[in-house]
């Protein structure tokens, strides 16, 4: 985005929910989500937390939490089926960026 870290943080980050996160638009969409195109506007450089979705411990905790998240994300339960080993490997790559339970 050709921004300094300070400018990026002041413009796009918040501690509204406690831990540092990206700001949201009205309605809860990420500041970088383009609803018209149903795409992330910074997809190639998105944060690791976004790359790991939906493999967050809070979503993986129960079938009910997975099903609840899947109602909000049309891509879940479609496409490549990840094995448990693949998911564990992904989670080990970015442990600090994963939302906790």
């Amino acid at each position: 985005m050709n921004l300094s870290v300070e400018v990026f943080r002041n413009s796009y980050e918040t501690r509204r929910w406690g831990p540092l996160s990206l700001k949201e638009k009205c309605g809860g969409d990420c500041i970088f989500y383009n609803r018209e195109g149903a795409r992330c506007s910074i997809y190639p450089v998105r944060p690791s937390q976004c790359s790991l979705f939906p493999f967050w411990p809070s979503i993986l905790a129960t079938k009910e939490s997975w099903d609840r998240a899947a109602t909000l994300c049309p891509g879940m339960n479609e496409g490549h089926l990840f094995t448990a080993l693949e998911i564990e490997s992904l989670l080990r790559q970015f442990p600090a960026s994963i939302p906790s339970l």
Side-chain angles (χ1 to χ4, degrees):
M1 295 179 66
N2 295 322
L3 301 174
S4 70
V5 172
E6 182 180 0
V7 169
F8 180 88
R9 286 192 168 151
N10 289 336
S11 300
Y12 299 109
E13 292 181 343
T14 183
R15 289 196 183 269
R16 177 180 177 193
W17 307 110
L20 194 61
S21 66
L22 294 174
K23 290 182 178 179
E24 299 172 349
K25 298 176 187 176
C26 292
D29 287 346
C30 171
I31 191 97
F32 296 112
Y33 182 68
N34 177 327
R35 189 172 282 270
E36 292 76 38
R39 298 277 181 232
C40 171
S41 62
I42 61 165
Y43 189 82
V45 294
R46 70 197 183 281
S48 57
Q49 178 179 339
C50 299
S51 298
L52 292 172
F53 183 84
F55 304 125
W56 298 350
S58 59
I59 294 174
L60 296 171
T62 65
K63 182 175 181 344
E64 291 77 21
S65 58
W66 179 271
D67 291 342
R68 187 172 40 255
T71 65
L72 303 172
C73 178
M76 287 176 66
N77 298 327
E78 300 289 331
H80 176 73
L81 178 63
F82 287 79
T83 67
L85 289 176
E86 288 175 311
I87 295 169
E88 289 171 7
S89 176
L90 289 168
L91 294 175
R92 278 193 303 274
Q93 291 177 43
F94 303 102
S97 66
I98 304 167
S100 59
L101 292 171

